[in-house]
Amino acid sequence: MNDKFSKIGFILAVAGSAVGLGNAWKFPTLVGTNGGSAFIILYLLLTFLVSFVIFLGEISIGKLSGKDPVNAYKMLAPKNAKFWSLAGFCIVGSVLIFSFYSVIMGWILKYCVSSVYYLPTTVDESGAVFSALLTSDLGVILFYYTVSVLLTFWIVSKGIVGGIERLNVWMMPALFIFLVIMLLFSFSMSGFSESAKFMLKPDFSALNKDSVLAALGLAFFTLSLGVGTIITYAASLPDKTDILKSSLSIVFINILIGVMMGLIVFTFIFEFGADPKEQGPGLVFISLATLFSKLGIVGNIFAVMFFVSLFFAALTSAVSMIEPSALYLINTFKMSRKKALSVILAFVYIMGVLCIFSYQATTSEYLTFFGKSFFDCVDYFTSNILMPISGILIAIFVGYIMNKSSLEELFIPYTGEIGFKIWYILLRTVAPLAVAIIMINQIFFS
Ligand code: PHE
């Protein structure tokens, strides 16, 4: 038997997995470049028509089996169990995501520490500092990377309740409080109203085909779909939990934190006249780091709080990337948790170091494949190939293979008959088709 989360522990742990770097910089950038709230509306629509539908599919696989993804598929498939258990190896995806995610956690941790005493004052200086970290300060990045990895594994080694639930139960509220404090502070700045307008005013003319693809990709990544995380957490879902209400709360928290992050980031960008279209790491590690310096000592406090919040968001996601494989090794090979984690640690540590080396000036040429660094290859392979294929398999498995009456028994008490029917139809039609379309588009037409 697995440990079971408490009801609130489950919501916070899944929300903790969902809220991560995807919300912190993908969400704000995409909202900024795709017509503000027009993009948010599109994102909500796709979340409910596709990702939330698959999310509930993963919940049903986890809850009805009580097992890790590989053994869950095996147990629930009425026939061809061997074939379906292959779909459970999507857990490799979460370990691969961890390989580069933990490197970014290392960058964030370094910024938490250095922001205490130093903030770059110009964008050029800031760019130089960030690029030195990526391309030449090997010792520094290895140090912070190692600390981030060990911290994640230490938490997972304490198990579902003593490690993952405990972490999320205090870290998620702490993250929320930090964000509220930062938001209140942003509110007092003149850039806030422009930021709010930029984020919230819908401009439907800015939406195009790429916005749809980006929104769907984001909705998938931020809900941690297709890599076994939700299946694994749902295996520890306590009985008699209102699945619909809990899942909706998780989606709500996920969107709320994305919007809060966006408002904070863009207040600074507008207050100091930086470029709101700057993307991803550049936005956070270069633009923002410089803008904080304009506030003197308050800026240092703000910067530390901001990077600590990012680190919290990332850490609660990181633990959810390791647990699926750990549970698989424990269930299948009867390994102890410590032993299972040592095996995974050895693998991800090497992968992460390769990601780091693929950005270092002296080694990058040996770690570039198809014109992409090893780091970017792992990101591309997991987000654009593995996650969508696994999403389609989940929809087909739950929609066509699994026993329908067990699904009805699980969901109808919370969704009602009509809610169940709508979900089931979406799961069998719109959801897998939509994911197949994005995937084909992303691979062949971008
Ligand atoms: N949802 C996390 C984020 O937005 C990423 C993640 C993906 C976490 C897959 C777990 C599994 O950053």
Side-chain angles (χ1 to χ4, degrees):
M1 267 310 268
N2 301 326
D3 283 354
K4 292 264 186 268
F5 284 115
S6 69
K7 283 184 188 163
I8 182 73
F10 175 77
I11 294 180
L12 290 176
V14 182
S17 168
V19 173
L21 300 177
N23 309 57
W25 67 57
K26 273 197 186 150
F27 185 76
T29 339
L30 287 174
V31 170
T33 46
N34 289 280
S37 64
F39 182 83
I40 300 185
I41 294 168
L42 176 69
Y43 172 76
L44 285 179
L45 195 77
L46 292 173
T47 294
F48 285 104
L49 287 180
V50 182
S51 20
F52 188 59
V53 170
I54 296 180
F55 178 89
L56 289 178
E58 286 206 33
I59 295 266
S60 67
I61 298 178
K63 177 67 191 155
L64 291 173
S65 67
K67 292 206 154 63
D68 64 274
V70 178
N71 288 299
Y73 271 107
K74 210 185 259 173
M75 174 178 162
L76 297 173
K79 41 185 191 221
N80 300 328
K82 269 234 170 74
F83 167 78
W84 279 109
S85 68
L86 290 180
F89 282 102
C90 63
I91 54 174
V92 174
S94 50
V95 174
L96 289 178
I97 294 177
F98 182 81
S99 310
F100 65 86
Y101 212 85
S102 54
V103 175
I104 304 177
M105 286 169 75
W107 302 346
I108 298 173
L109 199 57
K110 143 90 180 32
Y111 273 72
C112 291
V113 175
S114 63
S115 301
V116 174
Y117 55 86
Y118 165 78
L119 287 173
T121 48
T122 64
V123 171
D124 286 347
E125 181 188 342
S126 187
V129 170
F130 184 56
S131 132
L133 178 67
L134 263 56
T135 60
S136 56
D137 292 347
L138 184 59
V140 177
I141 181 60
L142 275 179
F143 172 75
Y144 286 106
Y145 162 71
T146 306
V147 173
S148 309
V149 173
L150 291 180
L151 185 60
T152 309
F153 275 79
W154 177 69
I155 293 157
V156 183
S157 76
K158 307 270 172 213
I160 283 278
V161 175
I164 294 178
E165 169 160 338
R166 229 158 106 200
L167 172 87
N168 280 288
V169 163
W170 76 265
M171 213 169 248
M172 287 305 285
L175 168 67
F176 189 74
I177 291 170
F178 283 169
L179 287 177
V180 170
I181 295 173
M182 289 191 283
L183 204 56
L184 288 176
F185 184 82
S186 309
F187 198 60
S188 71
M189 294 166 80
S190 58
F192 183 81
S193 60
E194 220 172 320
S195 162
K197 233 192 268 156
F198 181 66
M199 285 274 299
L200 303 176
K201 203 178 105 210
D203 170 11
F204 289 98
S205 68
L207 291 179
N208 53 33
K209 181 189 108 208
D210 290 341
S211 323
V212 179
L213 301 181
L216 201 44
L218 179 74
F220 227 71
F221 189 79
T222 61
L223 274 184
S224 311
L225 295 179
V227 290
T229 291
I230 306 301
I231 298 181
T232 306
Y233 275 9
S236 293
L237 178 69
D239 293 327
K240 302 214 176 63
T241 306
D242 185 331
I243 297 181
L244 187 65
K245 243 196 225 152
S246 315
S247 304
L248 286 172
S249 323
I250 289 159
V251 173
F252 175 74
I253 296 173
N254 193 29
I255 292 166
L256 181 70
I257 294 194
V259 172
M260 288 169 89
M261 278 279 184
L263 284 173
I264 296 166
V265 169
F266 288 120
T267 299
F268 272 80
I269 301 283
F270 284 115
E271 178 86 11
F272 299 112
D275 180 9
K277 301 249 179 333
E278 175 74 75
Q279 305 254 337
L283 182 73
V284 173
F285 292 103
I286 302 175
S287 304
L288 266 185
T290 318
L291 302 179
F292 289 143
S293 76
K294 312 255 188 273
L295 294 175
I297 181 78
V298 178
N300 290 75
I301 299 173
F302 207 98
V304 172
M305 200 184 264
F306 181 81
F307 285 113
V308 167
S309 306
L310 271 193
F311 191 76
F312 282 10
L315 184 60
T316 51
S317 298
V319 293
S320 79
M321 297 170 195
I322 300 303
E323 181 63 20
S325 312
L327 193 63
Y328 164 68
L329 294 178
I330 294 168
N331 282 345
T332 311
F333 301 103
K334 307 284 168 270
M335 284 186 190
S336 66
R337 184 165 274 273
K338 286 239 155 62
K339 181 145 184 232
L341 288 175
S342 319
V343 174
I344 303 168
L345 176 63
F347 176 73
V348 293
Y349 195 80
I350 295 171
M351 293 293 285
V353 168
L354 289 176
C355 287
I356 291 175
F357 278 123
S358 75
Y359 275 178
Q360 292 285 310
T362 46
T363 43
S364 62
E365 65 171 303
Y366 307 106
L367 286 160
T368 303
F369 309 95
F370 315 108
K372 276 189 173 39
S373 65
F374 183 74
F375 185 119
D376 297 336
C377 287
V378 179
D379 182 8
Y380 183 88
F381 174 71
T382 44
S383 311
N384 296 352
I385 298 177
L386 221 139
M387 279 180 143
I389 290 184
S390 165
I392 296 171
L393 288 176
I394 290 162
I396 295 175
F397 184 73
V398 182
Y400 294 93
I401 311 283
M402 261 168 79
N403 179 314
K404 189 175 174 195
S405 51
S406 344
L407 291 169
E408 285 171 336
E409 228 168 274
L410 179 69
F411 285 124
I412 289 181
Y414 308 111
T415 56
E417 299 232 359
I418 296 189
F420 177 81
K421 274 206 180 109
I422 296 175
W423 169 72
Y424 202 61
I425 291 172
L426 288 174
L427 185 73
R428 290 162 64 104
T429 54
V430 175
L433 271 179
V435 180
I437 292 169
I438 1 166
M439 191 182 147
I440 291 168
N441 252 296
Q442 253 165 0
I443 296 177
F444 299 107
F445 302 104
S446 63

